[in-house]
Each structure stands twice: as C-alpha cells, then as structure tokens.
C-alpha cells in the first residue's frame, strides 16, 4: 500500500492541522506506517529537526502523532512573515532569502512544485500512507494557477481530498458547496467529500442538511467531529496557548501549594514560538495570559518576553507602549523576567542588526550584559545542557549572535539577578528544569507556590494526540476513510457548476 490523502479546509483555521494529526494517530494505532506532509506552511512557529532543518511546528506535532522523528521532507517550504508584504523563504529546512508576496506568488512558488512533489514521493515510497495538510482554502481562485499546497499538490500526486469545515463559525454548508463549485472539473474530480468540525449539539439535527449537501454535490460527509476544548496544539499562528485551553475551559487542577503563580507574556509583534509557554500553562496553579499594556505586568510573578521575527520592531513596540519602562522597573526591583530568543536579545545592552531590520546599532533595554550582532546565516540547533541542576533540551532558531559579557551562565545566555535570558526554545518542556525554575520564580516573587511533582509535559502531549485519534475513530466512518486513503477519490463524482472562472 502507498495510500494518501489531502486534508483541505473551507478556511484558514478550520481545523486542518488537528484533523491531520488525528487521522495520523488513528492510522498509526491500526499498525499503519504513516507520515504527515505539508507542502508549504506560513507560520512563525517553527521547530528544528535532528538533522538541523527548520520546519513548521504543526508538522513536528503531526510527526509525533505518527510516532516519527520530524524531517524536512514533511514541510519542504516554510514561509516566515516579516511584515504584511514579505516573508523569509525556508526551503528544505534552510533559509534562502526574503521575498515579497507578489514575487513569491508571481512565479517563484510554481517553480517549487517539482521539489514539493519529489519530497512527497519520497515519503510515499517509505510509508504505507501519507496524510497531507492543505493551506487556507483550495478555492482561492486568485492563487490557483501557481498553487503547490492544495489542489496543485493533489493533482500532481493524484490524492483524494477531504474538505474540513468549522461549523462553529457558521455557514458551513455554503462553505462546503462554494468550495467545490469554485474548482475546475479536474480539481473537483479529486474532492471526495466533507468533514464537519467543532459541532455542538444533537447530530440528528444536522443530518437533513448533510443529506441535502450530498444531493447538491454528489459527495458524502465522512464524519462530524464534536467540539472539544483544548485541542489547539501547536497552532501555526495566533495568540493561543495550546495546552492552556485544557486548563482554562475544563476543571482546573488546584495548585499544590497555597498560592497560584501568575505569568504575563508580552504579545510582541511577529511573535514566534509562543508555544514555549505551553509547558508553563500545563502546570497546576500556573496562570498564563498574553498582555500588551504595562499595568498588566503589575500583579505578574513572572514576565516572559517571547521570541519574535522582528527583534528591533518588538523593542520599538515595547517602548511605545510603556512596557519597556515596566520591564526595567521590574528588573530593578528583583522581580522575575525571562527573555527567550528575540526576547533575550531585547533585554541586552545593544543590538547590531544589518540583516532583519537593517537598522544598524540599536540600544536594548540593558537588563542583561549581552551584545547581539545579527549574522546573515541562521543558527539552527538542538542543544542539550544543564541549568539549575537539571538536564535541559531545547532548540535554537535565530540570526542574532549573542556575546555575553557578565552575569551568571544560563543555558547559552545569562542571568542577572532575577532577569534571565536564553536563545533556547522549548527548554521549559524539560520537566525537572521547569519545576526548578518555577521554584526560583516563586521564591523571588514571595509566593507560596509549589510545582506539581509529577507533571509530565510529554505525557500531556501524548494524551492530546490520543484524544485526536479518538475523535477520528469514534466520529468518522473509518471504513470509508480507509478506502479513500487506500484507493483514492471515488470515480464518477459529479461536476458542480459553475466551476473555476476561466
């Protein structure tokens, strides 16, 4: 068997990433050797593979659902926005330059179709099945000519397409019908059917509409997934704390100690890898929130300045909003501040940037004895080390090279008093280190907070992935889904007019 499926969506954020992960986890539990694939991802949340390649975090999460190590083959093209009109292009895990949206969609994208299909073919040759994720909507008629991630890859590889719609937004029937009706006859022939996501209520009330949809399109609905809180793991973008949903919207685990610990995360522009704080949010008694005003730092026991694709822009933003002054005041008072990657660079004395912002020398906040120079080549690494007496694993994705001139060593960065800085993403996922760090924060903040002794972030992630697999197994026609993956789109699917514009 060398089966495949493309999970498309009626819109961005319809649930393609989690549905893909759920199908992958369901298949692997059936003994199928399955891999994830997304031809082109636009995201500021990325990950570093063992071979030192940068890919989207969503594909790394899907690889975990497949119980595989992620590789660059799973996400050959990654676009990292640097503003409204340009992105860094990462090809096969390596940054190859900045490009405007017009330049990329105007021709460069189509040139990558061969690379994309080669990567997919290599995965299909070594796995029983590959579950592909689309991007946005396949009916973006302005972009179809050069598309390499939706119907372009489906046509190129002969993949059946399952269209996911978020019914919680409303208008799902019109979205399903319109998606099919705006595709060419050749594209429509691969669209096998639909999957309803985030349904609340009695499914029997939905069934008449599903019957009418089948009559209108000639395509069945493969399942109706109920709304479940806390499933937004490793989102591509947006202000979500993935595991926080589980804590916020269900029974909250009480703190082990007498008090909770409050964490404020500065919502800097072009925030990257905000998933770094997921492990904090998973701790019983830790309350995490994103903030953009200085008064919101007043009651925080820890302030996190996260990574960003625009370090100098983030520094400007912190100053414009008065957050910079609040951070300087916190540091002077000995109240905990943690900077990660771009946030670490912001806390230093000086930034020399002729690469990202091209602003030259810019004064940092001066909270850490660090000087940063941006290098043209990006550092991509999976470091392992020790801090606070505990083993730590992380990953690095940055152009800035830090020269530490003082303070105490902290991972690859330093600490000065209760201000901490490191380039390591993901360090807080190391359970022993996270607990030790939270004990330091609680002591400095004067809180009677005690970290839970048995919280395993890896186990929580596995539980979420199993829950996704359960949703697929319990709420879809898995026999029909298996036939679709194994045999492709059913023959004779009807054309739904008017089709794609000429």
């Amino acid at each position: 068997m060398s089966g495949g499926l493309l999970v498309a969506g009626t819109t961005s954020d319809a649930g393609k990433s989690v549905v893909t992960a759920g199908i992958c986890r369901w298949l692997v539990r059936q003994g199928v050797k399955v891999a994830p694939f997304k031809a082109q991802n636009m995201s500021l949340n990325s990950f570093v593979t063992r071979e030192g390649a940068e890919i989207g975090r969503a594909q790394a999460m899907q690889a975990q659902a497949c119980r595989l190590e992620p590789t660059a083959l799973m996400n050959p093209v990654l676009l990292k926005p640097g503003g409204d009109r340009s992105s860094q292009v990462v090809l096969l895990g390596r940054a190859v330059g900045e490009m405007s949206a017009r330049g990329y969609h105007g021709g460069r994208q189509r040139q990558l179709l061969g690379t994309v299909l080669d990567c997919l073919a290599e995965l299909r040759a070594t796995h029983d099945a590959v579950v592909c994720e689309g991007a946005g909507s396949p009916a973006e008629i302005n972009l179809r000519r050069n598309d390499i991630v939706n119907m372009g890859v489906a046509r190129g590889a002969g993949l059946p397409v399952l269209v996911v719609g978020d019914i919680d937004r409303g208008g799902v029937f019109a979205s399903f019908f319109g998606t099919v009706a705006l595709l060419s006859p050749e594209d429509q022939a691969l669209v096998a059917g639909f999957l309803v996501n985030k349904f609340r209520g009695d499914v029997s009330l939905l069934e008449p509409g599903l019957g009418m949809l089948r009559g209108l399109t000639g395509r069945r609905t493969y399942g109706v997934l109920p709304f479940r809180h806390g499933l937004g793991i490793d989102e591509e973008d947006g202000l979500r704390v993935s595991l926080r949903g589980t804590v916020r919207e269900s029974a909250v685990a009480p703190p082990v100690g007498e008090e909770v610990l409050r964490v404020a995360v500065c919502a800097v522009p072009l925030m990257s890898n905000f998933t770094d704080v997921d492990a904090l949010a998973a701790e019983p008694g830790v309350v995490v929130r994103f903030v953009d005003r200085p008064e919101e730092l007043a009651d925080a026991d820890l302030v996190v300045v996260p990574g960003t694709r625009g370090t100098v822009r983030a520094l400007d933003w912190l100053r414009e909003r008065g957050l910079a002054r609040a951070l300087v005041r916190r540091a002077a008072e000995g109240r905990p501040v943690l900077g990660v990657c771009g946030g670490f660079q912001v806390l230093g004395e000086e930034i020399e940037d002729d690469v990202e912002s091209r602003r030259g020398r810019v004064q940092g906040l001066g909270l850490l004895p660090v000087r940063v120079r941006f290098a043209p080549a990006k550092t991509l690494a999976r470091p392992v080390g020790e801090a606070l007496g505990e083993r730590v694993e992380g990953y690095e994705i940055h152009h800035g090279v830090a020269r530490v001139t003082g303070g105490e060593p902290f991972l690859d960065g330093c600490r000065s008093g209760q201000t901490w800085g490191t380039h390591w993403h993901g360090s807080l996922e190391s359970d022993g280190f996270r607990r030790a760090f939270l004990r330091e924060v609680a002591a400095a903040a004067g809180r009677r907070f005690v970290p839970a002794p048995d919280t395993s972030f890896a186990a929580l992630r596995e539980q979420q992935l199993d829950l996704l697999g359960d949703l697929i197994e319990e709420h879809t026609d898995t026999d029909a889904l298996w036939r679709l993956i194994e045999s492709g789109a059913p023959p004779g699917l009807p054309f739904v007019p008017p089709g794609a514009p000429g």
Side-chain angles (χ1 to χ4, degrees):
M1 173 188 175
S2 181
L5 174 70
L6 176 71
V7 178
T10 56
T11 62
S12 296
D13 202 29
K16 296 183 292 292
S17 295
V18 293
V19 167
T20 299
I23 294 174
C24 286
R25 179 48 62 100
W26 163 66
L27 284 171
V28 83
R29 294 195 308 206
Q30 310 309 308
V32 177
K33 187 179 181 183
V34 59
F37 180 79
K38 185 163 185 174
Q40 173 189 292
N41 201 344
M42 177 172 279
S43 178
L44 289 172
N45 281 339
S46 57
F47 184 74
V48 179
T49 68
R50 291 287 182 197
E51 69 266 33
E54 184 179 8
I55 66 171
R57 273 208 63 121
Q59 280 58 68
M61 176 268 292
Q62 290 160 358
Q64 185 179 348
C66 297
R67 299 184 178 134
L68 296 175
E69 273 291 328
T71 73
L73 291 175
M74 297 171 183
N75 180 206
V77 182
L78 173 64
L79 305 178
K80 304 192 72 174
D84 294 335
R85 297 188 178 184
S86 68
S87 293
Q88 183 181 70
V89 180
V90 179
L91 180 61
L92 294 173
R94 294 286 184 270
V96 295
E98 297 279 336
M99 188 167 288
S100 69
R102 178 178 291 275
Y104 182 72
H105 290 290
R108 174 59 171 156
Q109 182 183 39
R110 187 169 181 81
Q111 295 170 7
L112 297 174
L113 180 60
T115 300
V116 161
L117 293 176
D118 287 346
C119 291
L120 177 55
E122 188 170 341
L123 285 175
R124 296 185 78 180
T126 54
H127 294 81
D128 300 327
V130 177
V131 183
C132 307
E133 179 188 344
S137 162
E140 292 169 347
I141 53 179
N142 57 316
L143 302 177
R144 174 62 185 93
R145 182 172 179 269
N146 294 321
D147 171 56
I148 65 169
V149 65
N150 290 306
M151 300 313 299
V153 74
R155 285 270 293 278
L159 295 174
V161 178
L162 184 67
V163 180
V164 178
D166 179 357
I167 198 170
D168 198 49
R169 295 183 173 191
V172 75
F173 292 115
S175 298
F176 281 145
F177 180 85
T179 296
V180 178
L182 280 175
L183 300 178
S184 69
E186 295 81 4
D187 286 351
Q188 286 193 24
L190 294 173
V191 178
F194 313 107
L195 185 68
V196 178
N197 192 27
K198 298 184 183 178
F199 180 72
R200 306 172 190 248
D202 186 346
V203 176
S204 66
L205 298 176
L206 192 65
E207 288 171 352
L210 300 179
M212 286 185 273
L213 181 66
R214 185 162 190 169
L216 288 165
T217 66
R219 290 157 173 84
R220 60 168 299 168
T221 298
Y222 283 76
V224 177
L225 304 183
F227 192 99
R228 289 286 187 270
H229 294 300
L231 294 182
I233 54 178
D234 286 6
E235 299 286 344
E236 291 182 354
D237 269 312
L239 286 181
R240 293 193 179 182
V241 187
S242 38
L243 284 173
R244 190 65 201 162
T246 306
V247 179
R248 182 189 295 132
E249 296 170 345
S250 62
V252 177
V256 175
E258 297 178 43
E259 294 182 306
V260 299
L261 207 63
R262 295 173 175 83
V263 179
V265 184
C266 296
V268 296
L270 299 174
M271 181 168 23
S272 62
N273 290 75
F274 57 84
T275 48
D276 283 335
V277 298
D278 284 359
L280 293 177
E283 283 284 349
V286 176
V287 180
V288 177
R289 66 182 188 273
F290 289 93
V291 303
D292 59 4
R293 296 178 298 179
E295 56 269 27
E296 294 178 293
L297 305 188
D299 66 343
D301 303 306
L302 169 67
V303 174
V304 178
V305 187
T308 171
R309 173 83 166 85
T311 300
V312 173
R313 178 175 170 182
L315 187 55
D316 291 342
W317 181 86
L318 290 168
R319 285 176 168 141
E320 289 164 2
R321 290 181 170 259
L323 285 160
R325 288 191 299 274
L327 288 168
V328 170
R329 187 163 55 248
R330 281 186 68 90
E333 294 169 353
R335 302 176 66 195
V337 176
L338 171 65
V340 180
C341 200
F344 166 43
Q345 297 165 7
V346 160
L347 300 180
E349 297 170 344
E350 183 180 84
I351 299 167
E352 185 180 344
D353 181 12
D354 295 318
V355 175
E356 197 173 74
S357 68
R358 296 183 172 85
R359 288 262 298 271
R361 293 183 184 273
V362 178
Q363 293 301 306
L365 298 186
L367 306 185
L368 289 173
V370 175
R371 292 176 177 267
V372 176
R373 177 184 57 81
F374 274 63
K378 185 185 291 190
T379 297
L380 298 171
R382 289 278 292 271
V384 177
E386 184 176 302
L388 302 179
E390 299 286 346
R391 186 177 187 272
V392 188
E393 295 184 32
Y395 58 100
E396 295 183 66
I397 307 169
H398 53 92
H399 284 279
V401 178
R403 181 167 62 88
V404 178
T405 59
E408 301 174 41
F410 175 63
L411 303 177
D412 71 330
C414 67
R415 68 175 290 190
S416 177
Q418 290 302 320
T419 302
W420 315 63
T422 177
H423 273 135
W424 291 22
H425 294 291
S427 62
L428 294 167
E429 295 179 20
S430 298
D431 297 327
F433 166 69
R434 182 180 65 254
R435 287 191 276 269
F437 178 68
L438 290 176
R439 283 193 290 269
E440 289 260 353
V441 169
R447 293 286 185 191
R448 294 186 299 277
F449 169 86
V450 178
D454 55 356
T455 301
S456 167
F457 185 75
L460 288 171
R461 295 298 300 273
E462 278 295 304
Q463 289 173 16
Q464 283 202 310
L465 291 169
D466 276 332
L467 180 55
L468 293 177
D470 292 343
L471 287 175
I472 297 299
E473 188 167 343
E474 296 167 10
H475 299 282
T476 68
D477 184 339
T478 51
D479 289 339
L481 190 58
W482 177 258
R483 288 193 300 272
L484 188 63
I485 293 169
E486 188 175 30
S487 305
L493 291 169
F495 172 71
V496 179

